[in-house]
Amino acid sequence: MDIKQQQQQLSLAKSSRQRCNEWIFRDVPSDITIDVSGGTFALHKFPLVSRSGRIRKLIAEHRDSDISRVELLNLPGGAESFELAAKFCYGINFEITSANVAQLCCASDYLEMTGEFSKDNLGSRAEEYIDSIVCKNLEVCVEVLQQCENLLPLADELKIVSRCIDAIASKACAEQIASSFSRLEYSSSGRLHMNRQAKCEGDWWIEDLSVLRIDLYQRVMMAMKCRGVRPESIGASLINYAQKELTKTKVDLVAAGSNGHERHVVETIVSLLPVEKLAVPINFLFGLLRSAVMLDCSVGSRLDLERRIGSQLDIAALDDLLIPSFRHAGDTLFDVDTVHRILVNFSQQDDSEDDMDDASVFESDSPHSPSQTALYKVAKLVDNYLAEIAPDANLKLSKFMVIAETLPAHARTVHDGLYRAIDIYLKAHQNLSDSDKKKLSKLIDFQKLSQEAGAHAAQNERLPLQSIVQVLYFEQLRLRNNLSCSYADEEQKPVHHSWRISSGALSAAMSPRDNYASLRRENRELKLELARLRMRLNDLEKEHVCMKRDMEKSHSRKFMTSFSRKIGKLSFFGHTSSRGSSSPSKHSYRTDSKVIERTCASTD
């Protein structure tokens, strides 16, 4: 790279000498030679000292030795800038443009070509061009900023950069305000409102800013935020800039983690993200997070992205959560730890929103409230994510369970998705111990399984025996309730209606206050019923222990007969006077005996 720059400087110096011979005085021999970045200029002292204070001081310091050669080190813009400054000293006209005005300002400051040494000098001419031409046009400001990239920090000290940035921010804000006024219209009722469906024409500058270097782009965005540019426009500009800069990255360089420029771009864009929700699409946030993981960006940037994603996780898709794991070759296929932190952010946000009094909690937990709706969506998303990562052979049980347990219990009204994910995990990890299988099964509320999922679970040999018995119990309980409701008379219909309310569907005929009181009463009743069910389940577990003890003593068919009798003695449902209740109960006991007989035979 250095060799190419040297070759470019040599060719530039050669062309400068050739151009110099065209405009220099040919009838007067030169008395001083100026060396600038490899370029050599044979000039005359008088025109230079009349405009440049720096050259005047250098010649004055060597008056006794009659200096004939001067070297100007680190002149901004190199030989090209000095050639323009020398032409100005000789009174030769040239055009100041957006491509050279920044160089002229810096060169005139270096050469001290100010009004102190000559009236209307090069410095004042360049400053006048910036004020009257550059700062009046946004596109020209961007071009000048591009030229300043190679002139820092002097261009910053001369306030060229700050003036251009302020001008860009002011122009963008003014054009956005004008565009907003153009979208104002009157509604049918005569009220003035803004048509949000109309295309915003004030954001054409987004494409122009994408050519800036990241440090200057960052300063422009910060100035726009201070000026009040819309967050949606800031977000659109960030997306456009990221797409241009990050798509240049090669896969091999990213995998090796050796691309510092892209890492700096990602961290800068994350710091510039608007605080408002939905200012940028969530898939863009996930894309930044993937890039941050790949490029090993700072922990603060990744945590900020995870927090932003967690605040709007309910609008995410499954493909967004599938973040590849780039750290260890033998680790999981997907980055489960990052997804877990995102879920924690979402859950903590939900808890903070629900930390209110009883009345507000009732309103926020209603099926129509945004927080509860978001919980339902995220729960479904998590179940699909668990089913997607379950076949991974390297996925540890602890990581699988921590994802499933992150959301609160009331987030899932139906456990079909969770049961499907656990079944896939059991199928892919057949070497799990019985205790691990029981841990997984405890995540499922078998009472919340649909009829199809319950039927599948009752015949699923991968589940522990205790879980199968629970499934059969709840299936029999559901069958009994359905039969009771079908044979109930008119007086029993309000009870059925009350059960529907407690299951989550609010009654439109009742006021919110009455609904809330009814839900509290039914909640107490359900707790009592749950306590009874737990007691009965404990009895069933005791019988199960006795059954295993008897199996070890005897393997005869008489044992199955005695086990069926013991199951028949257990009072699952209590006594009822409803018509037809005895027949279903007998049928349920027979079914229970057959299933347990099958499971016992399989264990033998």
Side-chain angles (χ1 to χ4, degrees):
M1 189 65 182
D2 296 337
I3 298 177
K4 291 183 178 179
Q5 290 181 350
Q6 291 177 1
Q7 292 177 351
Q8 290 177 357
Q9 291 179 355
L10 291 175
S11 61
L12 182 61
K14 183 177 180 181
S15 60
S16 299
R17 287 193 298 268
Q18 294 176 352
R19 292 195 301 269
C20 180
N21 293 330
E22 297 176 358
W23 54 266
I24 199 66
F25 298 147
R26 296 182 180 180
D27 52 348
V28 180
S30 62
D31 53 2
I32 190 171
T33 302
I34 308 293
D35 293 329
V36 182
S37 301
T40 303
F41 297 86
L43 303 175
H44 306 85
K45 294 180 181 180
F46 177 74
L48 298 179
V49 299
S50 63
R51 296 279 190 177
S52 173
R54 187 184 188 92
I55 295 179
R56 180 185 298 184
K57 293 176 183 178
L58 290 174
I59 293 177
E61 291 174 358
H62 301 81
R63 181 176 300 177
D64 298 336
S65 59
D66 193 17
I67 185 173
S68 61
R69 196 175 192 91
V70 173
E71 184 178 6
L72 300 178
L73 300 175
N74 301 323
L75 189 145
E80 184 178 359
S81 296
F82 180 77
E83 182 183 357
L84 294 176
K87 282 186 177 181
F88 185 84
C89 294
Y90 278 84
I92 299 174
N93 293 328
F94 63 90
E95 185 180 4
I96 299 179
T97 64
S98 59
N100 60 27
V101 64
Q103 295 179 353
L104 291 177
C105 282
C106 294
S108 62
D109 179 79
Y110 178 89
L111 295 172
E112 299 179 19
M113 299 179 68
T114 62
E116 180 183 354
F117 300 98
S118 177
K119 183 180 179 180
D120 199 16
N121 211 340
L122 180 60
S124 59
R125 290 281 187 91
E127 291 287 339
E128 181 182 0
Y129 184 87
I130 290 177
D131 294 334
S132 59
I133 303 297
V134 175
C135 293
K136 303 296 183 182
N137 190 292
L138 190 147
E139 292 177 329
V140 178
C141 285
V142 174
E143 294 178 11
V144 174
L145 279 182
Q146 281 187 280
Q147 300 300 321
C148 291
E149 292 177 356
N150 300 322
L151 300 172
L152 295 175
L154 182 58
D156 215 351
E157 296 174 2
L158 298 177
K159 300 187 181 303
I160 303 174
V161 176
S162 60
R163 279 184 287 176
C164 290
I165 290 176
D166 291 339
I168 291 173
S170 300
K171 291 294 180 183
C173 186
E175 292 186 9
Q176 199 167 82
I177 294 174
S179 175
S180 300
F181 277 118
S182 65
R183 292 158 58 193
L184 290 175
E185 60 182 22
Y186 286 96
S187 62
S188 57
S189 60
R191 299 183 63 180
L192 190 65
H193 73 287
M194 182 172 294
N195 184 6
R196 298 191 178 276
Q197 295 181 352
K199 185 178 180 181
C200 183
E201 301 293 343
D203 297 342
W204 57 267
W205 43 266
I206 291 177
E207 189 68 26
D208 295 333
L209 296 182
S210 62
V211 300
L212 293 176
R213 202 170 65 184
I214 183 63
D215 53 342
L216 296 179
Y217 176 81
Q218 180 182 16
R219 294 176 61 177
V220 172
M221 287 294 104
M222 294 176 64
M224 285 188 170
K225 285 186 176 181
C226 295
R227 292 280 184 175
V229 176
R230 283 194 299 265
E232 295 81 4
S233 301
I234 298 292
S237 179
L238 293 174
I239 294 173
N240 185 72
Y241 191 88
Q243 289 175 345
K244 285 199 169 184
E245 288 295 321
L246 299 180
T247 51
K248 302 175 183 177
T249 307
K250 295 183 180 179
V251 179
D252 54 348
L253 291 179
V254 175
S258 60
N259 212 320
H261 171 68
E262 282 74 14
R263 184 186 304 113
H264 180 54
V265 169
V266 171
E267 293 175 352
T268 303
I269 290 177
V270 172
S271 67
L272 293 174
L273 288 172
V275 296
E276 293 80 3
K277 287 185 179 180
L278 305 180
V280 294
I282 192 170
N283 57 354
F284 175 69
L285 294 178
F286 273 105
L288 280 180
L289 183 58
R290 287 190 181 91
S291 299
V293 173
M294 283 192 299
L295 298 167
D296 196 20
C297 292
S298 64
V299 176
S301 298
R302 282 179 282 178
L303 292 180
D304 187 16
L305 286 171
E306 292 169 5
R307 179 184 57 81
R308 291 174 182 273
I309 293 172
S311 66
Q312 47 187 319
L313 187 60
D314 54 302
I315 61 175
L318 176 60
D319 290 340
D320 296 330
L321 286 179
L322 299 177
I323 304 173
S325 180
F326 299 96
R327 296 185 179 180
H328 306 290
D331 205 352
T332 56
L333 295 175
F334 300 105
D335 194 342
V336 182
D337 296 332
T338 298
V339 175
H340 175 245
R341 289 193 297 269
I342 293 174
L343 289 173
V344 170
N345 281 303
F346 173 80
S347 302
Q348 290 176 349
Q349 175 206 20
D350 183 67
D351 293 340
S352 63
E353 290 178 357
D354 291 344
D355 189 14
M356 308 173 188
D357 55 0
D358 288 344
S360 61
V361 169
F362 167 72
E363 293 175 359
S364 65
D365 283 346
S366 63
H368 302 289
S369 65
S371 60
Q372 191 64 30
T373 303
L375 270 176
Y376 292 157
K377 291 181 179 178
V378 173
K380 184 177 180 181
L381 179 65
V382 170
D383 292 345
N384 291 333
Y385 176 75
L386 289 172
E388 193 71 25
I389 66 174
D392 188 355
N394 294 325
L395 180 61
K396 296 180 180 179
L397 178 64
S398 58
K399 289 191 175 185
F400 183 87
M401 292 186 63
V402 76
I403 295 293
E405 294 174 332
T406 304
L407 296 180
H410 63 276
R412 294 181 177 92
T413 55
V414 180
H415 276 221
D416 287 9
L418 182 59
Y419 166 71
R420 172 175 170 266
I422 291 177
D423 186 45
I424 295 175
Y425 188 86
L426 290 173
K427 188 184 300 183
H429 301 77
Q430 298 181 3
N431 295 327
L432 285 178
S433 62
D434 293 338
S435 60
D436 290 339
K437 291 182 180 180
K438 289 181 180 180
K439 290 179 183 179
L440 270 178
S441 300
K442 287 181 179 180
L443 298 176
I444 308 172
D445 187 350
F446 294 102
Q447 196 171 2
K448 292 183 179 180
L449 291 181
S450 65
Q451 186 174 359
E452 294 78 9
H456 184 277
Q459 302 177 3
N460 193 346
E461 297 180 353
R462 288 182 288 272
L463 293 176
L465 178 62
Q466 183 180 4
S467 300
I468 296 177
V469 174
Q470 291 182 29
V471 173
L472 290 173
Y473 167 70
F474 290 124
E475 287 300 308
Q476 291 177 358
L477 183 63
R478 179 185 300 171
L479 179 61
R480 175 182 176 275
N481 288 334
N482 292 337
L483 291 176
S484 299
C485 293
S486 63
Y487 286 104
D489 54 11
E490 294 296 330
E491 295 180 357
Q492 293 176 323
K493 287 184 179 179
V495 178
H496 177 63
H497 179 68
S498 176
W499 178 83
R500 284 197 306 165
I501 293 175
S502 66
S503 64
L506 294 178
S507 173
M510 299 175 66
S511 64
R513 187 180 299 275
D514 294 337
N515 257 326
Y516 180 57
S518 175
L519 283 174
R520 294 191 63 178
R521 287 194 302 270
E522 291 170 2
N523 189 29
R524 289 194 294 268
E525 295 173 1
L526 288 174
K527 286 182 179 179
L528 292 175
E529 183 65 19
L530 182 59
R532 297 191 195 99
L533 292 176
R534 285 177 178 171
M535 293 177 63
R536 294 169 186 168
L537 184 58
N538 289 334
D539 294 339
L540 181 62
E541 289 177 350
K542 292 178 182 178
E543 293 295 331
H544 176 60
V545 173
C546 295
M547 177 194 72
K548 292 182 68 176
R549 190 180 300 116
D550 293 339
M551 287 175 62
E552 293 175 358
K553 296 180 179 179
S554 172
H555 296 279
S556 64
R557 301 292 296 177
K558 294 180 180 181
F559 168 70
M560 298 309 304
T561 306
S562 63
F563 176 76
S564 300
R565 290 174 183 174
K566 290 180 181 180
I567 292 296
K569 291 179 181 180
L570 288 177
S571 176
F572 284 105
F573 309 115
H575 299 285
T576 178
S577 59
S578 301
R579 291 175 295 175
S581 61
S582 60
S583 177
S585 299
K586 293 178 180 178
H587 176 71
S588 301
Y589 295 151
R590 290 196 300 270
T591 305
D592 220 0
S593 301
K594 290 179 179 179
V595 173
I596 296 176
E597 184 178 354
R598 175 180 57 81
T599 55
C600 292
S602 64
T603 56
D604 290 339

